[in-house]
mmCIF file of all heavy atoms in Angstrom:
data_model
loop_
_atom_site.group_PDB
_atom_site.id
_atom_site.type_symbol
_atom_site.label_atom_id
_atom_site.label_comp_id
_atom_site.label_asym_id
_atom_site.label_seq_id
_atom_site.Cartn_x
_atom_site.Cartn_y
_atom_site.Cartn_z
ATOM 1 N N ASN A 126 61.705 148.077 109.743
ATOM 2 C CA ASN A 126 62.579 148.572 110.774
ATOM 3 C C ASN A 126 64.085 148.663 110.242
ATOM 4 O O ASN A 126 64.865 149.509 110.536
ATOM 5 C CB ASN A 126 62.495 147.666 112.034
ATOM 6 C CG ASN A 126 61.261 147.840 112.771
ATOM 7 O OD1 ASN A 126 60.512 148.844 112.539
ATOM 8 N ND2 ASN A 126 60.923 146.890 113.640
ATOM 9 N N VAL A 127 64.465 147.750 109.377
ATOM 10 C CA VAL A 127 65.800 147.783 108.765
ATOM 11 C C VAL A 127 65.848 148.980 107.944
ATOM 12 O O VAL A 127 66.814 149.760 108.114
ATOM 13 C CB VAL A 127 66.025 146.510 107.794
ATOM 14 C CG1 VAL A 127 67.259 146.648 107.001
ATOM 15 C CG2 VAL A 127 66.018 145.231 108.728
ATOM 16 N N ALA A 130 65.939 151.991 110.139
ATOM 17 C CA ALA A 130 67.290 152.273 110.861
ATOM 18 C C ALA A 130 68.310 152.841 109.804
ATOM 19 O O ALA A 130 69.129 153.724 110.287
ATOM 20 C CB ALA A 130 67.897 150.936 111.356
ATOM 21 N N TRP A 131 68.259 152.445 108.651
ATOM 22 C CA TRP A 131 69.088 153.064 107.592
ATOM 23 C C TRP A 131 68.836 154.417 107.339
ATOM 24 O O TRP A 131 69.582 155.370 107.310
ATOM 25 C CB TRP A 131 68.994 152.194 106.243
ATOM 26 C CG TRP A 131 69.897 152.625 105.183
ATOM 27 C CD1 TRP A 131 71.087 152.096 104.910
ATOM 28 C CD2 TRP A 131 69.629 153.559 104.104
ATOM 29 N NE1 TRP A 131 71.675 152.632 103.832
ATOM 30 C CE2 TRP A 131 70.795 153.592 103.308
ATOM 31 C CE3 TRP A 131 68.625 154.442 103.822
ATOM 32 C CZ2 TRP A 131 70.912 154.372 102.178
ATOM 33 C CZ3 TRP A 131 68.700 155.292 102.737
ATOM 34 C CH2 TRP A 131 69.884 155.199 101.893
ATOM 35 N N ARG A 302 80.409 150.142 110.313
ATOM 36 C CA ARG A 302 79.898 150.438 111.681
ATOM 37 C C ARG A 302 78.435 150.309 111.968
ATOM 38 O O ARG A 302 78.008 149.792 113.031
ATOM 39 C CB ARG A 302 80.447 151.831 112.009
ATOM 40 C CG ARG A 302 80.319 152.320 113.437
ATOM 41 C CD ARG A 302 80.894 153.660 113.618
ATOM 42 N NE ARG A 302 80.227 154.730 112.842
ATOM 43 C CZ ARG A 302 79.165 155.354 113.225
ATOM 44 N NH1 ARG A 302 78.580 155.021 114.468
ATOM 45 N NH2 ARG A 302 78.546 156.210 112.543
ATOM 46 N N TRP A 303 77.624 150.652 110.903
ATOM 47 C CA TRP A 303 76.199 150.532 110.934
ATOM 48 C C TRP A 303 75.773 149.098 111.385
ATOM 49 O O TRP A 303 74.905 148.936 112.228
ATOM 50 C CB TRP A 303 75.619 150.992 109.698
ATOM 51 C CG TRP A 303 74.078 151.075 109.628
ATOM 52 C CD1 TRP A 303 73.371 152.081 110.279
ATOM 53 C CD2 TRP A 303 73.088 150.174 109.109
ATOM 54 N NE1 TRP A 303 72.034 151.749 110.015
ATOM 55 C CE2 TRP A 303 71.880 150.727 109.219
ATOM 56 C CE3 TRP A 303 73.246 148.992 108.352
ATOM 57 C CZ2 TRP A 303 70.684 150.085 108.817
ATOM 58 C CZ3 TRP A 303 72.132 148.272 107.865
ATOM 59 C CH2 TRP A 303 70.853 148.829 108.168
ATOM 60 N N TYR A 304 76.300 148.121 110.676
ATOM 61 C CA TYR A 304 75.816 146.730 110.914
ATOM 62 C C TYR A 304 76.380 146.286 112.289
ATOM 63 O O TYR A 304 75.611 145.604 113.008
ATOM 64 C CB TYR A 304 76.504 145.783 109.839
ATOM 65 C CG TYR A 304 75.978 146.062 108.491
ATOM 66 C CD1 TYR A 304 76.557 146.853 107.568
ATOM 67 C CD2 TYR A 304 74.820 145.431 108.079
ATOM 68 C CE1 TYR A 304 76.140 147.156 106.310
ATOM 69 C CE2 TYR A 304 74.295 145.702 106.764
ATOM 70 C CZ TYR A 304 74.902 146.558 105.967
ATOM 71 O OH TYR A 304 74.443 146.878 104.668
ATOM 72 N N VAL A 305 77.492 146.684 112.794
ATOM 73 C CA VAL A 305 78.005 146.343 114.075
ATOM 74 C C VAL A 305 77.150 146.975 115.114
ATOM 75 O O VAL A 305 76.695 146.297 116.123
ATOM 76 C CB VAL A 305 79.533 146.843 114.253
ATOM 77 C CG1 VAL A 305 79.948 146.539 115.774
ATOM 78 C CG2 VAL A 305 80.371 146.142 113.338
ATOM 79 N N GLU A 306 76.783 148.248 114.954
ATOM 80 C CA GLU A 306 75.926 148.949 115.933
ATOM 81 C C GLU A 306 74.560 148.248 115.972
ATOM 82 O O GLU A 306 73.930 148.333 117.052
ATOM 83 C CB GLU A 306 75.758 150.355 115.666
ATOM 84 C CG GLU A 306 76.885 151.266 116.060
ATOM 85 C CD GLU A 306 76.743 152.727 115.764
ATOM 86 O OE1 GLU A 306 75.743 153.110 115.188
ATOM 87 O OE2 GLU A 306 77.698 153.448 116.149
ATOM 88 N N LEU A 307 74.093 147.627 115.014
ATOM 89 C CA LEU A 307 72.751 146.970 115.017
ATOM 90 C C LEU A 307 72.890 145.453 115.428
ATOM 91 O O LEU A 307 72.043 144.711 115.096
ATOM 92 C CB LEU A 307 72.144 147.124 113.727
ATOM 93 C CG LEU A 307 71.550 148.526 113.455
ATOM 94 C CD1 LEU A 307 71.014 148.769 112.093
ATOM 95 C CD2 LEU A 307 70.407 148.919 114.512
ATOM 96 N N GLY A 308 74.085 145.092 116.027
ATOM 97 C CA GLY A 308 74.226 143.851 116.610
ATOM 98 C C GLY A 308 74.887 142.701 115.894
ATOM 99 O O GLY A 308 74.966 141.627 116.346
ATOM 100 N N ILE A 309 75.387 143.026 114.679
ATOM 101 C CA ILE A 309 76.095 141.976 114.058
ATOM 102 C C ILE A 309 77.570 141.783 114.545
ATOM 103 O O ILE A 309 78.270 142.922 114.559
ATOM 104 C CB ILE A 309 76.068 142.108 112.527
ATOM 105 C CG1 ILE A 309 74.656 142.199 112.003
ATOM 106 C CG2 ILE A 309 76.851 140.986 111.802
ATOM 107 C CD1 ILE A 309 74.407 141.909 110.574
ATOM 108 N N PHE A 396 70.469 140.094 109.304
ATOM 109 C CA PHE A 396 70.176 140.213 110.687
ATOM 110 C C PHE A 396 69.505 138.977 111.247
ATOM 111 O O PHE A 396 69.795 138.614 112.465
ATOM 112 C CB PHE A 396 69.317 141.471 110.887
ATOM 113 C CG PHE A 396 69.965 142.820 110.593
ATOM 114 C CD1 PHE A 396 69.530 143.645 109.632
ATOM 115 C CD2 PHE A 396 71.001 143.214 111.428
ATOM 116 C CE1 PHE A 396 70.307 144.897 109.422
ATOM 117 C CE2 PHE A 396 71.727 144.366 111.280
ATOM 118 C CZ PHE A 396 71.239 145.273 110.249
ATOM 119 N N ARG A 415 68.010 137.130 118.810
ATOM 120 C CA ARG A 415 68.536 138.318 119.639
ATOM 121 C C ARG A 415 68.695 139.500 118.705
ATOM 122 O O ARG A 415 69.749 140.017 118.535
ATOM 123 C CB ARG A 415 69.846 137.832 120.224
ATOM 124 C CG ARG A 415 69.763 136.599 121.146
ATOM 125 C CD ARG A 415 71.028 136.382 121.954
ATOM 126 N NE ARG A 415 71.056 135.045 122.557
ATOM 127 C CZ ARG A 415 70.352 134.745 123.687
ATOM 128 N NH1 ARG A 415 69.843 135.635 124.358
ATOM 129 N NH2 ARG A 415 70.536 133.544 124.128
ATOM 130 N N LEU A 416 67.651 139.951 118.203
ATOM 131 C CA LEU A 416 67.475 141.084 117.331
ATOM 132 C C LEU A 416 67.718 142.438 118.098
ATOM 133 O O LEU A 416 67.258 142.541 119.226
ATOM 134 C CB LEU A 416 66.211 141.177 116.552
ATOM 135 C CG LEU A 416 65.912 140.209 115.421
ATOM 136 C CD1 LEU A 416 64.518 140.260 115.043
ATOM 137 C CD2 LEU A 416 66.852 140.522 114.191
ATOM 138 N N HIS A 417 68.487 143.283 117.515
ATOM 139 C CA HIS A 417 68.562 144.755 118.151
ATOM 140 C C HIS A 417 67.136 145.197 118.377
ATOM 141 O O HIS A 417 66.193 144.987 117.615
ATOM 142 C CB HIS A 417 69.253 145.565 117.265
ATOM 143 C CG HIS A 417 69.731 146.886 117.833
ATOM 144 N ND1 HIS A 417 68.800 147.926 117.957
ATOM 145 C CD2 HIS A 417 70.795 147.362 118.404
ATOM 146 C CE1 HIS A 417 69.447 149.067 118.490
ATOM 147 N NE2 HIS A 417 70.669 148.561 118.894
ATOM 148 N N SER A 419 65.801 147.969 118.129
ATOM 149 C CA SER A 419 65.131 148.789 117.023
ATOM 150 C C SER A 419 64.731 148.136 115.768
ATOM 151 O O SER A 419 63.951 148.561 114.997
ATOM 152 C CB SER A 419 66.142 149.931 116.667
ATOM 153 O OG SER A 419 67.186 149.429 116.136
ATOM 154 N N LEU A 420 65.270 146.785 115.650
ATOM 155 C CA LEU A 420 64.891 146.012 114.508
ATOM 156 C C LEU A 420 63.753 145.010 114.670
ATOM 157 O O LEU A 420 63.064 144.709 113.824
ATOM 158 C CB LEU A 420 66.095 145.235 114.016
ATOM 159 C CG LEU A 420 67.292 146.010 113.476
ATOM 160 C CD1 LEU A 420 68.458 145.057 113.084
ATOM 161 C CD2 LEU A 420 66.939 146.990 112.348
#
Side-chain angles (χ1 to χ4, degrees):
N126 290 343
V127 169
W131 186 88
R302 192 173 61 82
W303 185 77
Y304 293 94
V305 175
E306 277 181 0
L307 287 173
I309 301 203
F396 287 119
R415 300 191 194 278
L416 286 169
H417 190 277
S419 64
L420 297 182

